[in-house]
Amino acid sequence: QVQLVESGGGLVQAGGSLRLSCVGSGIVFRINIMAWYRQAPGKQRELVAKIPTVGSPNYADAVKGRFTISRDNTKNTVYLQMDSLKPEDTAVYYCNIWPAWRDYWGQGTQLTVSS
């Protein structure tokens, strides 16, 4: 059974930074494209960033230059470093493979950015 557990969210002021972590079990991390998604209140879940097994990550335009995705396959962990945070980054953040698989969604971690 695959489990993806996100952590690291919290309340931060605009302009601040935070790092999210996602630890996976029951999944062969190193062969999958891993991704971070987010869902803001009243909005659909959207892709934030994805990182392939080889090659460069890709970012949504809204976070490009501010967020950095990375992975440590030895720890089955994917990270999202978030800098210069904005109130519009407020959302629940999830990790999943890319494309997302419905059975892999975890609880997510809440990020709230105050202005």
Side-chain angles (χ1 to χ4, degrees):
Q1 181 181 356
V2 173
Q3 273 196 317
L4 296 170
V5 180
E6 303 91 348
S7 64
L11 173 63
V12 63
Q13 286 190 330
S17 298
L18 213 58
R19 189 177 82 156
L20 306 182
S21 300
C22 170
V23 180
S25 60
I27 182 174
V28 184
F29 232 65
R30 68 181 184 276
I31 66 172
N32 283 284
I33 299 171
M34 298 302 300
W36 282 96
Y37 303 79
R38 68 185 181 186
Q39 187 167 21
K43 295 188 176 181
Q44 286 193 333
R45 190 148 37 193
E46 61 177 359
L47 175 68
V48 174
K50 64 182 190 282
I51 183 166
T53 55
V54 177
S56 301
N58 295 105
Y59 299 91
D61 287 343
V63 307
K64 204 171 291 184
R66 301 187 297 120
F67 290 12
T68 303
I69 188 172
S70 61
R71 64 193 294 165
D72 185 342
N73 292 334
T74 65
K75 296 180 180 179
N76 268 19
T77 302
V78 60
Y79 304 97
L80 186 67
Q81 175 67 40
M82 305 181 293
D83 300 314
S84 302
L85 284 163
K86 304 176 180 180
E88 50 263 45
D89 295 318
T90 295
V92 179
Y93 284 72
Y94 304 86
C95 70
N96 204 320
I97 62 173
W98 185 86
W101 181 244
R102 63 180 184 272
D103 292 344
Y104 290 178
W105 293 116
Q107 296 299 308
T109 186
Q110 173 72 48
L111 168 68
T112 302
V113 183
S114 63
S115 57

